[in-house]
């Protein structure tokens, strides 16, 4: 699996069902990110993805539309968008009309609506029993 998070990002292979793993840094050491997505479950459990202001992150199964690909049964082709609101100076998420929904701290968000991440430790669930992600802001 190759994960791409923008132009300054390395890719890595993920160990799935006993296959060999090779992990690389996702961002060069000199760059500093103020927010991260920590995957709590799913095929990327334990992975930490830095977020860059000004870069939109789309999570989904479709490699042509998403820039973070998750090959999970409850993940839609384009499931979730994470972006930075420069006016409010906060990160936000949007359910991209996914089939199984997006939950923020246990509450389902409306498809197509943008929700500001007010808490620095917000839990995002992709589907009720799908992938769990912890949003953390430094």
């Amino acid at each position: 699996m190759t994960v791409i998070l923008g132009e300054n990002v390395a890719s890595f292979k993920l160990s799935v069902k006993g296959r060999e793993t090779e992990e690389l840094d996702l961002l060069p050491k000199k760059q500093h990110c103020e927010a991260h997505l920590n995957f709590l479950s799913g095929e990327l459990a334990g992975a930490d993805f830095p977020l860059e202001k000004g870069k939109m992150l789309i999570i989904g199964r479709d490699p042509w539309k998403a820039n973070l690909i998750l090959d999970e049964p409850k993940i839609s082709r384009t499931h979730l968008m994470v972006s930075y609101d420069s006016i409010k100076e906060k990160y936000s998420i949007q359910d991209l009309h996914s089939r199984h929904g997006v939950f923020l701290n246990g509450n389902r968000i409306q498809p197509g609506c943008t929700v500001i991440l007010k808490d620095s430790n917000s839990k995002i669930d992709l589907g009720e029993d799908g992938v769990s992600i912890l949003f953390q802001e430094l």
Side-chain angles (χ1 to χ4, degrees):
M1 165 179 278
T2 301
V3 176
I4 301 171
L5 288 175
E7 56 199 37
N8 297 324
V9 179
S11 63
F12 72 93
K13 295 177 185 174
L14 180 67
S15 176
V16 179
K17 297 181 182 175
R19 293 186 205 152
E20 191 173 314
T21 301
E22 176 187 347
E23 293 189 27
L24 302 173
D25 290 334
L26 290 175
L27 288 175
K29 299 278 188 219
K30 63 183 178 181
Q31 290 188 350
H32 173 72
C33 289
E34 296 175 359
H36 298 262
L37 294 180
N38 297 302
F39 282 76
L40 305 175
S41 66
E43 66 180 330
L44 296 179
D48 179 42
F49 292 95
L51 296 172
E52 295 181 65
K53 291 180 181 177
K55 300 273 185 178
M56 185 183 321
L57 174 67
I58 296 178
I59 298 174
R61 286 182 298 126
D62 188 338
W64 298 103
K65 296 180 181 177
N67 49 4
L68 195 156
I69 305 352
L70 291 178
D71 189 21
E72 297 269 350
K74 292 194 175 183
I75 302 297
S76 296
R77 285 184 219 132
T78 55
H79 199 107
L80 175 73
M81 180 175 65
V82 181
S83 59
Y84 184 75
D85 185 325
S86 59
I87 295 170
K88 295 181 181 177
E89 297 184 341
K90 291 281 184 183
Y91 283 90
S92 64
I93 60 172
Q94 182 180 18
D95 180 346
L96 298 174
H97 300 276
S98 63
R99 182 176 187 159
H100 295 284
V102 174
F103 298 79
L104 178 60
N105 297 322
N107 300 308
R108 187 170 187 156
I109 65 172
Q110 293 297 314
C113 292
T114 300
V115 177
I116 299 293
L117 297 171
K118 296 176 184 173
D119 299 324
S120 64
N121 285 312
S122 297
K123 186 179 177 205
I124 303 165
D125 292 301
L126 307 181
E128 285 189 67
D129 298 317
V131 175
S132 293
I133 305 167
L134 183 64
F135 166 79
Q136 293 185 311
E137 209 168 11
L138 304 176

